[in-house]
Amino acid sequence: MPRCETNMDTTETFQKDWALEQEDTLHPPMVTVEIAGKVYQVPAGITLLKALWYTGHEVIRGAGCLGGFCGACATYYRTKDDPKVKTCLACSFAVEDGMAFSFAPPFPARKAIYQISELQDPKQDLFELYPEAPMCRNCNACTEACPQSIDVREGVWRAVFGDFKSVSDMFMNCVMCGLCAPVCIADIAPNLVAIYASRVQGAHFTEKPKDIEARIKAIEEGQYEKDWERILRMSDEELQQATVSCP
Amino acid sequence: MNLRALQDIVHQTREFRCTQTIPKLTVAEREKLIRQYHPDYREQAYQTIRFGPNAGDRTVRELAMLLEGDSPIPADFPLTPDYTVDVLVIGGGGAGCAAALHAHAQGAHVLLATKLRLADSNSIMAQGGMQVAVAPDDSPIQHFLDTLRGGHMKNDHQLLKVMVEEGPLITKWLIELGVLFDRSPDGNLQVKTGGGSSRARLLTCSDYTGLEIMRVLKDEVLNQNIHVLEFAAAVELLSDEEGTCTGAILRDLDNKRFIVVAAKAVILATGGIGRLHIQGFPTSNHYGATGDGLALAYRIGAPLVEIDTFQYHPSGAVYPEQLVGALVTEGIRSEGGHLVNAKGERFVNELDTRDVVSSSIIRECQEGRGVRTASGRVGVWLDTPLLELEHGQGTLDKHFPAMVRQYERFGVDIRKEPVLIYPTLHYQNGGVKIDVNSETPVRNLFVAGEASGGLHGRNRLMGNSLLDLMVFGRRAGLAAAARAKMIAQGKLSLAHLERFRAEARKHGVSNQVISPAILPAYTKTS
Ligand SMILES: Cc1cc2nc3c(=O)[nH]c(=O)nc-3n(C[C@H](O)[C@H](O)[C@H](O)COP(=O)(O)OP(=O)(O)OC[C@H]3O[C@@H](n4cnc5c(N)ncnc54)[C@H](O)[C@@H]3O)c2cc1C
Ligand code: SF4
Ligand code: SF4
Ligand code: FES
């Protein structure tokens, strides 16, 4: 019993959040969807994830942030009469009539292990860590698989050419769903190549901000101690009014 | 009338609104507004906790039930450890990852157990940014004062001093790990203004700050070969004869088996509570935000603080239905976006503290100046197109790509259309009481991040949570590792649970609720 099924309050309150129980959506139009091969009727317009709950599925793997940021709900779907299977994030994508979908299973891609601060020549090290990266055959399947519309193929090439800055910009919205990896005919896990390049860009190729060093030094040297003494002795009323001069 | 028609008033009144300045409320006005409209003051939503460390205190019903709830573990449960480690970290969000990395760096043998996948958390969704006093016109003390005023002067001064002073240091750590904070042209960290702050102090990674930080931290946890157990939810803590914490029992959510972990120190980093849907509010939180850490800590005897106050983020999406509860980043207001009622009027200084802004939105809606959607929800407008007009076309794409995408998926173009918002349950202001090393009054039990309490007083300022996670995650990791070096593994027992159950019986509590909740019960059973 890992869930709070007995907790009526919680269940009830959820009902209020449950879009379908709203006044004029009491009888929402229903659509037909196929979930992992079975056909169900679900209210139009709800997310794929809510459709799973609605049809009685218990979801443990397959849900995470519920906000489109974590990639846990990576899903394959196909719309009516279209042969193309596409991908989406089930927590942030709406059902439509005739849609078929199922969760993408976890994919055991290989992640290279490295010590970020010890990398001597990170652009060259990429080829040691991910020797498959330059083997990209331009099939573009990764780009087509990406629910975040990242130009993944281009990103892999930029990483290979050492343009880590572009990679870090291009993959800023990568939710690490991993959907780009199983499709790769060269066994590249583009998202893992990208996070490497992006971290390297931050740790090795971006100027260290001077302000922060100055502030750390000021704190360590006790520049604020006098003010702290004054401030920490104050009453709430005094604190409400207090001002400090910034160095 | 359809929503698009109702929007017209926002476009028509824009020019006039831009000439207005709405003053922030005085302290007295704030208190009055909040008392009248903030959900924290709805008496009927609260009850008194009957027993345990906080007996006699008030909290919301949903939480009280779980605190008084029973453990899934029977008294005679065999406690043979499956794992024996120095430090057990429970929770794989920002606080948990920071704690695990720092404990590991001190040479501790660390196990990180988390309920979902590593990094699936509230932390990954943080868009607004992280407050750190780095700018030349700013100082840790100014940060301290702003936070205190935002927290209604109830913040723990010592915890707060630690947070503001260690902010720059922890930021440096993140940068060295490769986190790409936005920079200004001179190479320094770019700072943005956040609600309730007197200085520009928010560090951002466009509007993917949490995602960028969590991607890096997760990658780093894996690089350090820290042992991670995913889909493993803590359901009970373990204690020795002196009542100190000695480990935990986890439940493997894949095969439903229990896992016993012996640990010299335990760090709870289980995050918040939004999925309890307090007072029926929708929430911005992740799937696992069910307040598990509070229930676990409470049963072993750790007191909680400020658990009668929650943060309702002013801007939760109201439309389209699929987004209900989801967060609309505060950044929009930080960059000048107006809040507009159904009559086309501004009604609050958009950069006032969250509790003030939320209360004022609730007031507008209660008094009939809200906008109603077809599904019966009510909200007020957030004027997003204004940003395009004020700061130039492309501003939204450049500064808020995540939000543009969030709405585009459902056919709403926020560059042209304002969005409807209403407060959403966002953050648990209080939590388990900790000291400056993140330790609770129960020895060897540490709590870091949103699950802890005291630091934010009665209202957390925007951007202070990410900083809290990193600073106290680090402190918890360091202190737990140091403790583990000094002590031997204590005995594993459920003595605290026996005491807890005796208390429950004494108070006639048998509400049948099994706690912690672990996941919300969303699956429709019929
Ligand atoms: C949408 C959103 C936007 C936000 N934006 C900002 C922002 O811009 N700036 C800011 O400073 N703050 C922001 N916050 C607040 C901040 O993100 C959170 O307070 C913070 O991330 C909490 O971090 P945490 O590590 O304590 O918990 P979380 O990040 O939530 O992590 C908790 C972890 O514990 C796990 N867990 C829970 N229960 C158990 C259990 N029983 N056993 C094992 N594991 C368990 C969870 O699965 C999760 O992995 C935002 C919050 C949300 C929801
Ligand atoms: S790049 Fe790959 S992992 Fe990242 S969002 Fe796209 S498909 Fe998912
Ligand atoms: S799927 Fe692989 S081979 Fe094809 S374009 Fe992407 S990286 Fe290259
Ligand atoms: S649950 Fe995180 S992206 Fe869908």
Side-chain angles (χ1 to χ4, degrees):
Chain A
M1 9 96 277
R3 336 181 113 229
C4 52
E5 282 135 346
T6 44
N7 185 341
M8 284 314 293
D9 260 15
T10 312
T11 328
E12 262 167 41
T13 48
F14 172 65
Q15 302 291 323
K16 289 179 210 151
D17 176 45
W18 190 236
L20 318 171
E21 257 76 72
Q22 288 294 317
E23 298 153 33
D24 36 347
T25 44
L26 270 181
H27 302 286
M30 303 294 274
V31 295
T32 305
V33 296
E34 190 183 306
I35 305 177
K38 282 188 187 158
V39 175
Y40 301 91
Q41 298 277 311
V42 302
I46 63 174
T47 61
L48 271 55
L49 199 53
K50 282 192 176 172
L52 281 158
W53 287 320
Y54 184 84
T55 51
H57 290 81
E58 207 187 348
V59 181
I60 295 176
R61 287 178 180 265
C65 66
L66 305 183
F69 287 96
C70 78
C73 60
T75 292
Y76 295 116
Y77 76 96
R78 199 172 56 72
T79 48
K80 204 175 187 168
D81 301 330
D82 185 350
K84 189 165 174 55
V85 175
K86 300 179 194 150
T87 62
C88 70
L89 300 173
C91 69
S92 332
F93 203 75
V95 292
E96 54 179 89
D97 193 46
M99 186 186 253
F101 64 92
S102 52
F103 277 136
F107 186 75
R110 180 188 66 93
K111 185 192 126 50
I113 299 300
Y114 53 92
Q115 299 301 319
I116 189 92
S117 63
E118 290 167 15
L119 297 170
Q120 293 304 319
D121 186 359
K123 292 195 176 170
Q124 211 45 47
D125 293 338
L126 170 68
F127 303 114
E128 304 269 317
L129 295 166
Y130 291 109
E132 63 278 18
M135 306 302 195
C136 169
R137 284 186 267 154
N138 272 321
C139 71
N140 214 37
C142 50
T143 303
E144 297 208 12
C146 179
Q148 293 289 84
S149 314
I150 298 169
D151 191 344
V152 186
R153 184 196 62 86
E154 178 72 16
V156 170
W157 279 108
R158 300 233 178 170
V160 168
F161 286 125
D163 183 4
F164 287 7
K165 169 83 175 72
S166 299
V167 178
S168 64
D169 289 340
M170 290 171 72
F171 284 76
M172 184 51 95
N173 64 338
C174 167
V175 292
M176 297 300 266
C177 66
L179 284 169
C180 50
V183 295
C184 180
I185 48 174
D187 297 317
I188 302 167
N191 58 324
L192 298 179
V193 171
I195 178 81
Y196 171 79
S198 176
R199 286 189 64 184
V200 163
Q201 179 63 29
H204 291 272
F205 301 126
T206 310
E207 199 188 338
K208 296 283 171 276
K210 295 193 185 64
D211 279 358
I212 205 164
E213 293 295 340
R215 186 54 43 83
I216 291 172
K217 191 151 164 271
I219 292 169
E220 279 171 0
E221 286 174 351
Q223 276 191 33
Y224 300 102
E225 285 313 310
K226 265 217 187 84
D227 271 332
W228 277 126
E229 266 172 49
R230 183 168 64 88
I231 293 283
L232 291 173
R233 273 202 309 267
M234 287 183 179
S235 68
D236 282 358
E237 289 70 40
E238 289 168 323
L239 283 167
Q240 194 65 259
Q241 306 302 326
T243 52
V244 282
S245 53
C246 290
Chain B
M1 215 190 309
N2 80 27
L3 273 186
R4 292 229 155 82
L6 291 170
Q7 280 171 14
D8 285 348
I9 189 130
V10 181
H11 302 299
Q12 287 155 10
T13 55
R14 188 169 291 129
E15 204 172 322
F16 169 72
R17 280 185 277 113
C18 286
T19 63
Q20 288 180 298
T21 20
I22 310 246
K24 288 194 185 168
L25 299 186
T26 64
V27 177
E29 287 167 334
R30 272 175 66 178
E31 292 302 322
K32 183 158 175 258
L33 176 78
I34 288 171
R35 275 181 190 281
Q36 207 170 345
Y37 295 102
H38 197 279
D40 277 357
Y41 291 91
R42 283 185 203 150
E43 274 306 319
Q44 68 279 21
Y46 282 78
Q47 75 186 45
T48 303
I49 306 169
R50 287 170 286 183
F51 64 98
N54 288 77
D57 289 353
R58 289 162 72 252
T59 189
V60 287
R61 293 178 189 284
E62 294 84 353
L63 178 57
M65 299 249 289
L66 288 176
L67 295 180
E68 293 180 351
D70 197 9
S71 167
I73 302 299
D76 58 354
F77 189 86
L79 297 174
T80 319
D82 298 289
Y83 296 93
T84 301
V85 297
D86 292 330
V87 177
L88 169 65
V89 178
I90 300 172
C97 288
L101 285 168
H102 282 93
H104 171 86
Q106 296 301 304
H109 176 203
V110 178
L111 175 67
L112 190 162
T114 189
K115 186 155 69 179
L116 301 166
R117 302 178 318 168
L118 184 58
D120 293 355
S121 59
N122 278 0
S123 302
I124 205 165
M125 287 191 278
Q127 290 185 275
M130 174 165 105
Q131 293 228 31
V132 188
V134 290
D137 70 342
D138 198 0
S139 82
I141 298 184
Q142 193 62 53
H143 189 178
F144 179 94
L145 291 172
D146 286 350
T147 305
L148 207 52
R149 288 166 193 163
H152 300 258
M153 315 307 279
K154 299 291 186 218
N155 316 54
D156 180 317
H157 290 190
Q158 292 311 316
L159 295 180
L160 183 51
K161 178 169 187 284
V162 165
M163 181 181 83
V164 298
E165 283 208 309
E166 290 185 1
L169 198 70
I170 201 74
T171 308
K172 186 177 169 198
W173 178 70
L174 289 171
I175 292 172
E176 282 166 359
L177 289 178
V179 172
L180 285 156
F181 289 109
D182 295 328
R183 301 298 186 98
S184 46
D186 68 358
N188 277 312
L189 292 165
Q190 192 188 340
V191 285
K192 298 181 186 153
T193 321
S197 296
S198 65
R199 301 285 193 282
R201 189 181 291 137
L202 273 175
L203 309 184
T204 50
C205 314
S206 76
D207 60 349
Y208 289 107
T209 313
L211 177 59
E212 166 69 357
I213 291 176
M214 289 314 295
R215 251 188 328 236
V216 168
L217 291 184
K218 177 176 179 173
D219 195 60
E220 186 61 12
V221 167
L222 299 176
N223 276 353
Q224 298 307 327
N225 266 318
I226 292 172
H227 191 164
V228 177
L229 284 182
E230 294 185 331
F231 298 99
V235 292
E236 190 56 68
L237 295 171
L238 297 171
S239 63
D240 64 8
E241 55 282 314
E242 275 142 43
T244 69
C245 183
T246 54
I249 303 177
L250 316 173
R251 184 155 209 190
D252 186 323
L253 299 184
D254 286 326
N255 61 16
K256 314 288 182 209
R257 290 184 191 152
F258 290 112
I259 302 167
V260 177
V261 184
K264 292 178 185 168
V266 174
I267 302 174
L268 277 176
T270 48
I273 205 179
R275 291 283 151 192
L276 297 182
H277 292 289
I278 288 163
Q279 301 193 33
F281 270 84
T283 183
S284 61
N285 285 192
H286 84 289
Y287 196 30
T290 47
D292 298 0
L294 299 183
L296 294 175
Y298 195 71
R299 279 214 286 271
I300 203 172
L304 313 176
V305 292
E306 313 288 3
I307 44 163
D308 57 336
T309 157
F310 298 87
Q311 188 165 76
Y312 299 83
H313 191 289
S315 47
V318 171
Y319 175 89
E321 274 297 322
Q322 296 92 334
L323 284 180
V324 167
L327 206 65
V328 173
T329 173
E330 199 145 32
I332 300 286
R333 279 178 288 130
S334 300
E335 295 206 11
H338 294 165
L339 287 172
V340 183
N341 66 18
K343 297 165 77 179
E345 304 158 338
R346 289 172 73 186
F347 50 86
V348 66
N349 180 305
E350 286 82 1
L351 292 183
D352 220 321
T353 50
R354 285 186 176 164
D355 46 2
V356 168
V357 178
S358 284
S359 300
S360 71
I361 296 171
I362 293 173
R363 177 193 62 206
E364 293 305 298
C365 293
Q366 277 183 12
E367 294 178 358
R369 294 184 297 273
V371 179
R372 193 169 285 278
T373 71
S375 52
R377 296 182 190 275
V378 89
V380 297
W381 297 111
L382 175 64
D383 190 358
T384 45
L386 173 63
L387 266 60
E388 296 275 295
L389 298 173
E390 288 267 288
H391 308 302
Q393 266 197 6
T395 301
L396 288 166
D397 283 291
K398 194 144 158 270
H399 297 181
F400 305 102
M403 185 182 167
V404 172
R405 282 189 69 82
Q406 186 185 23
Y407 277 87
E408 235 169 24
R409 284 194 173 117
F410 302 108
V412 178
D413 182 354
I414 65 165
R415 305 170 194 98
K416 303 208 176 79
E417 304 172 55
V419 298
L420 267 189
I421 55 137
Y422 190 79
T424 184
L425 178 56
H426 187 56
Y427 188 80
Q428 145 201 318
N429 288 319
V432 186
K433 185 180 163 65
I434 55 165
D435 65 16
V436 289
N437 288 315
S438 247
E439 190 166 10
T440 70
V442 173
R443 206 167 157 74
N444 304 336
L445 177 64
F446 298 79
V447 179
E450 191 169 341
S452 70
L455 172 63
H456 302 290
R458 297 186 66 77
N459 174 52
R460 173 183 66 99
L461 276 201
M462 158 181 206
N464 267 347
S465 179
L466 282 181
L467 181 58
D468 167 14
L469 310 182
M470 294 302 127
V471 166
F472 286 93
R474 169 177 174 271
R475 285 207 157 216
L478 295 179
R483 179 68 50 75
K485 280 192 186 138
M486 283 162 43
I487 61 171
Q489 173 65 48
K491 271 183 39 193
L492 305 186
S493 88
L494 291 167
H496 64 280
L497 186 56
E498 237 168 88
R499 283 194 299 275
F500 182 87
R501 283 179 170 149
E503 278 264 305
R505 274 194 302 277
K506 209 169 86 195
H507 289 83
V509 176
S510 58
N511 62 7
Q512 302 292 308
V513 172
I514 297 294
S515 132
I518 303 192
L519 289 175
Y522 288 167
T523 302
K524 213 164 169 281
T525 46
S526 58

